[in-house]
Amino acid sequence: MSTTISIIGAGYVGLVTGTCLAELGWNVICIDKDAEKIRSLQNGEIPIYEEGLQQLVTRNSLAGRLSFTTECGQAVRHSRVVFLAVGTPQGDLGQTDLTALKCAAKEIAHNLRDYTVVVVKSTVPVKTYQSVFNIILEYKPPDTRFDIISNPEFLRQGSAVRDFLYPDRIIVGGRSKKALTIMRRIYSSFIHRHVNYIESSNETAELIKYAANTFLAVKISYINEMADICEMSGADINQLARAMGLDKRIGPAFLKPGPGYGGSCLPKDVKSLIWSCSEMGYNFRIGAAVDQVNRGKRGSVVNKIRELLGPLENRNIALLGLAFKAETDDTRESPAIHVARSLLDSGASVLAYDPAAMDRACLDIPKLECVNSPYAACNRADLIIIMTEWNRFANLNYKRIHKLMARPIIYDTRNLLNPRKMLKLGFVYFDNGRVPFSAAVENMAHLRLGWARRKNARVSRKAGFALQKA
Ligand code: UDX
């Protein structure tokens, strides 16, 4: 396998793609402008928290199949296939910022020598391949040839290596038979394993990525609305989601209620598709509704806390979970970060704990106080809010936590805990579509009564002692 592959962009997608292609036997050069990141990678340190990636980077670097450089030109000149895996962040109006992609395309053009397949792996609005093609055509040396392939990724954070090596499908969009043949060679081990391998036009491949991600977002916003409806009608969202998912046409995945979807992809991809549809004169109504429900969900989390505790000044809130989902350290567009900011802005003091994401969260919110254990976060708390579905939050010693707290109130936005067990332990417990919020408010009133009676009893005991002494 003499073909050398270059991957421009050693971020989340590029690093996983490059490392896994090396694992499959290809010679891969990962390129990034960030010299610090490249230095760490050359020293065998990887900058992201991803299961299985460290071992693969180490093994393939030692085998000489995987290398890292900031020298894009040199790598491109020695590569037959160049993947573009640079970031395509969201612009302030929801559009996709293609600056990095266009800059990388120009760099490829300047260094084109022999026939090269340029593969757009980054998530890009439909027809972006045409812009990449035009840039390379304009800046490339005369008498050099290239083709453009669209090859979107479907990697989930927390399972990216597995998702790459065992994909549900591989999508390859392009018109050139020569380029498509080379792509079949690159993915030959998957084709031999009968992995679904779909060849399409560039446009179809580009749009499949958005269609898939926005549909995942539809399922999440849908189940989050159903959670609200369950809460109002006394139904149980977990049972409802399970029953829905047993219908093979629906399926169980992405029907877990929560504080809304986050991450660097779903929020951005939904907004990007809304934007590119409007550019084409089409109103993507479902997308707009999904985005609106999602933003509303994180807002309702804070409103419930405010309704239950009253004014939040000087209230102590324990925030369990900062990452946008479990098994990652990523806090981009994390609902937990939005909620933490709102609570702090409302004057509450927040003690946060997350097994992996605290460093990044403290960069997002410098005044956020993080502690090194969930129990430390719960000490003297007026309320615990569980924001990220880390398994360990389901297995904490809640009997001990009850004793630590100033007010035993738990808001479980991920429905991780057993309501009956929490109520038996004496907590005011509410969640997301199982225990109605109104029950918590009522329960709270009883508790306040109890606290007031106990306080009066303490006061009269003290008074009694004082009289005896006098
Ligand atoms: C997503 C897509 O799944 C992946 O295919 C694409 O390539 C990149 O974007 P990722 O962003 O890593 O992957 O996260 P994902 O696992 O999809 O979860 C996204 C968000 O939805 C998280 O905040 C998660 O907590 C939330 N979610 C997910 C739910 O609230 N309920 C669910 O049932 C599933």
Side-chain angles (χ1 to χ4, degrees):
M1 291 190 187
S2 61
T3 306
T4 297
I5 297 172
S6 277
I7 313 270
I8 302 180
Y12 196 80
V13 173
L15 182 57
V16 172
T17 300
T19 305
C20 292
L21 286 173
E23 178 68 7
L24 295 173
W26 297 101
N27 298 318
V28 177
I29 308 170
C30 282
I31 306 152
D32 203 291
K33 283 194 292 208
D34 180 340
E36 188 50 42
K37 180 190 286 188
I38 292 297
R39 232 189 324 277
S40 313
L41 288 164
Q42 286 167 338
N43 295 333
E45 298 139 31
I46 61 168
I48 52 175
Y49 175 96
E50 191 54 57
E51 191 189 337
L53 188 58
Q54 180 68 64
Q55 297 92 310
L56 292 184
V57 168
T58 306
R59 180 159 70 211
N60 287 284
S61 302
L62 288 175
R65 285 192 299 267
L66 179 63
S67 61
F68 303 97
T69 180
T70 54
E71 297 303 317
C72 182
Q74 192 180 355
V76 168
R77 288 193 292 273
H78 291 89
S79 302
R80 184 69 179 273
V81 180
V82 179
F83 280 77
L84 277 165
V86 293
T88 51
Q90 180 188 317
D92 43 17
L93 300 172
Q95 83 282 17
T96 302
D97 179 351
L98 297 173
T99 310
L101 188 83
K102 290 177 176 175
C103 179
K106 213 177 277 184
E107 198 139 13
I108 292 172
H110 290 317
N111 292 284
L112 218 53
R113 296 290 177 273
D114 306 323
Y115 172 72
T116 304
V117 177
V118 179
V119 183
V120 182
K121 173 68 79 174
S122 303
T123 302
V124 292
V126 63
K127 287 220 170 300
T128 299
Y129 80 98
Q130 196 62 60
S131 314
V132 174
F133 179 86
N134 295 342
I135 289 170
I136 297 176
L137 196 63
E138 184 183 348
Y139 292 96
K140 73 178 185 61
D143 311 328
T144 51
R145 291 191 55 244
F146 71 100
D147 284 307
I148 302 283
I149 287 286
S150 303
N151 174 221
E153 50 83 18
F154 300 94
L155 310 180
R156 286 167 301 165
Q157 292 190 212
S159 57
V161 171
R162 198 168 56 243
D163 289 346
F164 187 97
L165 294 176
Y166 303 97
D168 291 337
R169 74 299 205 197
I170 295 172
I171 311 291
V172 175
R175 287 172 173 72
S176 150
K177 283 200 177 7
K178 184 174 182 179
L180 289 169
T181 304
I182 290 171
M183 293 307 289
R184 264 182 243 123
R185 261 189 66 215
I186 289 179
Y187 288 119
S188 56
S189 59
F190 295 93
I191 295 171
H192 294 153
R193 277 192 282 134
H194 307 297
V195 170
N196 298 311
Y197 188 85
I198 297 175
E199 290 181 346
S200 70
S201 67
N202 291 88
E203 292 86 346
T204 305
E206 289 172 328
L207 197 51
I208 284 171
K209 169 71 180 178
Y210 283 99
N213 265 11
T214 47
F215 186 71
L216 293 172
V218 166
K219 283 190 92 172
I220 294 166
S221 282
Y222 180 84
I223 206 66
N224 280 336
E225 284 225 279
M226 286 314 291
D228 293 342
I229 297 167
C230 282
E231 203 162 291
M232 288 187 291
S233 46
D236 180 312
I237 186 62
N238 283 19
Q239 289 173 346
L240 179 138
R242 183 166 171 274
M244 274 181 71
L246 291 171
D247 183 327
K248 289 185 182 51
R249 297 166 301 174
I250 299 172
F254 280 67
L255 289 178
K256 287 201 190 82
Y261 57 77
S264 62
C265 298
L266 293 195
K268 168 175 81 82
D269 292 352
V270 170
K271 290 184 177 67
S272 174
L273 187 54
I274 294 168
W275 172 270
S276 39
C277 283
S278 69
E279 290 291 283
M280 293 187 280
Y282 183 79
N283 176 12
F284 181 35
R285 284 148 298 178
I286 289 181
V290 163
D291 182 51
Q292 187 197 356
V293 167
N294 194 56
R295 281 182 285 111
K297 194 72 186 178
R298 55 187 63 168
S300 75
V301 165
V302 178
N303 294 340
K304 281 185 175 175
I305 294 173
R306 202 174 273 121
E307 193 178 330
L308 202 69
L309 290 184
L312 293 179
E313 281 77 13
N314 306 319
R315 291 283 190 217
N316 299 325
I317 309 284
L319 182 72
L320 299 187
L322 291 162
F324 78 92
K325 68 173 187 175
E327 303 311 322
T328 179
D329 62 351
D330 199 340
T331 58
R332 286 175 289 182
E333 282 300 305
S334 168
I337 297 296
H338 286 262
V339 167
R341 271 208 187 93
S342 304
L343 292 172
L344 287 167
D345 291 348
S346 307
S349 88
V350 178
L351 277 185
Y353 169 78
D354 184 288
M358 290 195 286
D359 291 348
R360 289 179 194 259
C362 289
L363 291 174
D364 295 327
I365 315 177
K367 62 178 181 174
L368 178 66
E369 200 179 335
C370 290
V371 287
N372 58 11
S373 104
Y375 297 101
C378 298
N379 195 21
R380 292 203 306 280
D382 295 304
L383 178 141
I384 297 172
I385 179 163
I386 299 177
M387 289 297 294
T388 308
E389 70 284 23
W390 288 102
N391 277 333
R392 68 186 70 190
F393 295 155
N395 307 314
L396 295 175
N397 179 342
Y398 282 95
K399 207 167 181 180
R400 175 182 165 197
I401 286 177
H402 188 281
K403 294 192 178 91
L404 287 171
M405 294 181 75
R407 284 180 165 75
I409 305 171
I410 296 187
Y411 181 7
D412 176 9
T413 70
R414 297 282 187 164
N415 293 0
L416 279 184
L417 306 177
N418 177 324
R420 269 190 296 280
K421 187 180 161 203
M422 290 300 119
L423 293 169
K424 216 166 144 199
L425 284 173
F427 285 99
V428 173
Y429 172 88
F430 62 108
D431 57 21
N432 200 349
R434 292 185 300 179
V435 178
F437 178 61
S438 53
V441 175
E442 207 179 298
N443 201 346
M444 185 71 184
H446 291 317
L447 268 177
R448 275 208 180 94
L449 211 57
W451 293 326
R453 285 197 186 115
R454 275 200 296 280
K455 190 177 170 196
N456 293 342
R458 271 198 307 276
V459 168
S460 48
R461 260 201 311 279
K462 274 188 187 153
F465 290 144
L467 281 173
Q468 273 168 4
K469 272 188 185 165

